[in-house]
Amino acid sequence: MPQAYHVRTFAVDHVIARQHQGETQLGNLALACLRCNSHKGPNIAGLSPDSGELTPLFHPRTDDWDAHFHWNGPYIVGRTAIGRTTIELLTMNHPDYVALRKSLIEEGVFPPT
């Protein structure tokens, strides 16, 4: 979701938290909206909603978005266990975000190309 459509500026997030020896360098930093960042916390994995197994979260610097996610209207759908776990843990389909994405789709400005 482009930062321009959010009320608050995105946070610079450590993909691997400093408490897990994540370094403050470009390859370990990513912009994150407040909601996603607060839900992610220091997590680098979560329990898969399908199997209950510990599954890595999507890494925005090393993983390919299209390999793990696709759009179904305003909803983000996980293609893989990593995608589904990330969607669940970060609450990426929270009703507020779905409503915002739906509105942007109706305006013809979303999803990004």
Side-chain angles (χ1 to χ4, degrees):
M1 175 70 77
Q3 183 172 221
Y5 299 115
H6 287 264
V7 175
R8 297 194 172 148
T9 303
F10 284 8
V12 177
D13 176 49
H14 285 80
V15 179
I16 299 174
R18 288 178 286 185
Q19 73 189 65
H20 296 297
Q21 286 71 54
E23 296 183 19
T24 303
Q25 62 181 14
L26 187 58
N28 188 46
L29 300 174
L31 291 177
C33 71
L34 181 61
R35 174 170 284 142
C36 288
N37 196 28
S38 66
H39 280 91
K40 179 188 167 283
N43 294 308
I44 57 173
L47 298 179
S48 167
D50 300 326
S51 68
E53 292 184 21
L54 190 62
T55 304
L57 296 178
F58 176 78
H59 190 302
R61 291 290 189 182
T62 60
D63 293 337
D64 177 41
W65 197 94
D66 290 325
H68 295 283
F69 307 100
H70 71 90
W71 291 104
N72 182 4
Y75 294 92
I76 302 171
V77 179
R79 296 181 190 269
T80 64
I82 288 172
R84 290 184 293 275
T85 301
T86 302
I87 290 167
E88 183 81 16
L89 186 80
L90 275 60
T91 66
M92 294 168 72
N93 285 321
H94 185 279
D96 292 344
Y97 283 167
V98 170
L100 175 59
R101 292 191 295 252
K102 184 176 184 213
S103 174
L104 295 173
I105 288 168
E106 290 169 359
E107 291 179 32
V109 296
F110 194 80
T113 56

